[in-house]
Amino acid sequence: MPKTILITGATAGFGEACARRFAAEGWQLILTGRRAERLEALQAELGEAVRQVIALDVRDREAVHAQLAGLSDIDVLLNNAGLALGLEPAWEVDLDDWETMVDTNVKGVMYCTRAILPGMVERNCGHVINIGSTAGSWPYPGGNVYGGTKAFVQQFSRNLRTDLLGTRVRVTEIDPGMAESEFSQVRFKGDDESAAKVYAGAEALSPADIAEAVFFVANLPGHVNVNAMELMCIDQAWGPLAVHRKEG
Ligand code: NDP
Ligand code: 8X3
């Protein structure tokens, strides 16, 4: 019996790469995202591996419940849909951008998890895989609320595990560093030049690298729970703590 993975944000980047990786290994896919035409194109490409496509905005609490809560046989929920908007300092930021990030990266993860988890607990089997970020652990200028939303993903993942102790439902948080996808085009609102600069001269992680990590944790024996996995490309590491010094 093939297993089923439900992927949020399957229309680009990590989610799309995960769709391809899991399909290649015989998994059934339920693919979601807002851009219906991309979901349909992926369905046409991957054929029978795609059980269903659902055009869905994860910020829409009622729609998430209506579309997902009836899916009681999901083996893996991949909470991947998310975004960063802007890199401005906190005092200059557009408050709408902060709200969009909270609504997507925090509330979207809550809504999808709450819709799918009862079926997993009922069947005493399943795996919630949440895509966090190095930004949830390591601050950087302009990361402000994006980093905050990913810190939520980290702590939510840990707390889910404690709620689920005694069941066979696993929870994993995967924290990538810089990875080249549409992420920076979204962050810089279509400014392709600024987006390209993020990756210039470095060999960033690819969506396929992240899909490999997701596939690995999902296919370990059922008693093995990877709590968290942080990945960076070889060209990225931490800098020293910043010190502001007076001139002269
Ligand atoms: P992409 O921009 O390439 O893909 C983002 C996906 O999220 C798209 O499929 C998009 O679909 C979906 N999405 C965004 N908003 C919504 C929404 N409101 N409802 C439903 N789907 C939505 O970025 P990545 O693949 O890089 O990002 C995937 C995840 O990984 C995000 O959570 C991101 O924060 C995280 N991440 C990214 C890193 C990077 O450097 N790229 C590093 C660490 C973490 P659509 O627009 O069709 O709705
Ligand atoms: C995406 C990685 O460093 O741009 O989460 O925040 S970073």
Side-chain angles (χ1 to χ4, degrees):
M1 177 87 174
K3 289 188 173 177
T4 298
I5 180 168
L6 189 159
I7 302 174
T8 70
T11 57
F14 303 171
E16 185 181 341
C18 286
R20 292 212 169 84
R21 183 70 179 92
F22 280 77
E25 302 292 336
W27 283 61
Q28 289 282 290
L29 316 172
I30 299 179
L31 305 176
T32 78
R34 289 167 301 179
R35 287 170 286 184
E37 68 289 351
R38 288 207 184 187
L39 293 174
E40 284 153 19
L42 203 50
Q43 183 172 34
E45 179 194 327
L46 299 177
E48 287 185 357
V50 181
R51 193 171 115 183
Q52 200 177 344
V53 296
I54 304 173
L56 183 64
D57 187 329
V58 295
R59 295 171 297 177
D60 185 336
R61 175 175 160 165
E62 301 309 323
V64 170
H65 180 77
Q67 300 267 33
L68 303 191
L71 299 169
S72 57
D73 63 344
I74 304 301
D75 295 291
V76 174
L77 165 64
L78 178 61
N79 278 316
N80 163 74
L83 80 174
L85 290 172
L87 258 187
E88 293 81 17
W91 61 92
E92 287 176 3
V93 109
D94 179 344
L95 203 48
D96 287 341
D97 285 350
W98 274 3
E99 278 193 343
T100 302
M101 289 189 278
V102 170
D103 289 346
T104 310
N105 303 355
V106 176
K107 291 186 180 178
V109 171
M110 282 163 39
Y111 298 158
C112 294
T113 304
R114 184 62 184 84
I116 296 298
L117 210 47
M120 290 184 172
V121 172
E122 175 72 27
R123 290 165 57 235
N124 198 25
C125 133
H127 197 162
V128 179
I129 302 178
N130 294 325
I131 302 295
S133 169
T134 48
S137 301
W138 317 110
Y140 59 84
N144 45 63
V145 162
Y146 178 67
T149 65
K150 292 304 186 178
F152 165 83
V153 172
Q154 180 180 94
Q155 205 56 23
F156 184 53
S157 303
R158 291 174 178 166
N159 277 280
L160 280 176
R161 279 228 68 216
T162 65
D163 281 359
L164 289 161
L165 186 66
T167 76
R168 303 284 291 183
V169 180
R170 298 185 286 179
V171 183
T172 300
E173 181 209 5
I174 295 194
D175 292 336
M178 178 178 74
E180 191 161 359
S181 63
E182 293 178 14
F183 178 83
S184 291
Q185 285 155 282
V186 172
R187 170 170 248 169
F188 296 114
K189 303 176 180 172
D191 175 352
D192 290 341
E193 206 178 312
S194 297
K197 277 187 193 153
V198 174
Y199 312 109
E203 189 180 357
L205 294 172
S206 70
D209 296 327
I210 309 309
E212 203 56 42
V214 173
F215 190 78
F216 170 74
V217 300
N219 285 281
L220 288 167
H223 69 287
V224 181
N225 192 102
V226 176
N227 296 333
M229 184 191 281
E230 184 178 81
L231 301 89
M232 290 183 191
C233 70
I234 195 74
D235 288 334
Q236 188 175 40
W238 305 269
L241 289 176
V243 180
H244 173 70
R245 300 182 196 281
K246 292 185 188 71
E247 283 174 31

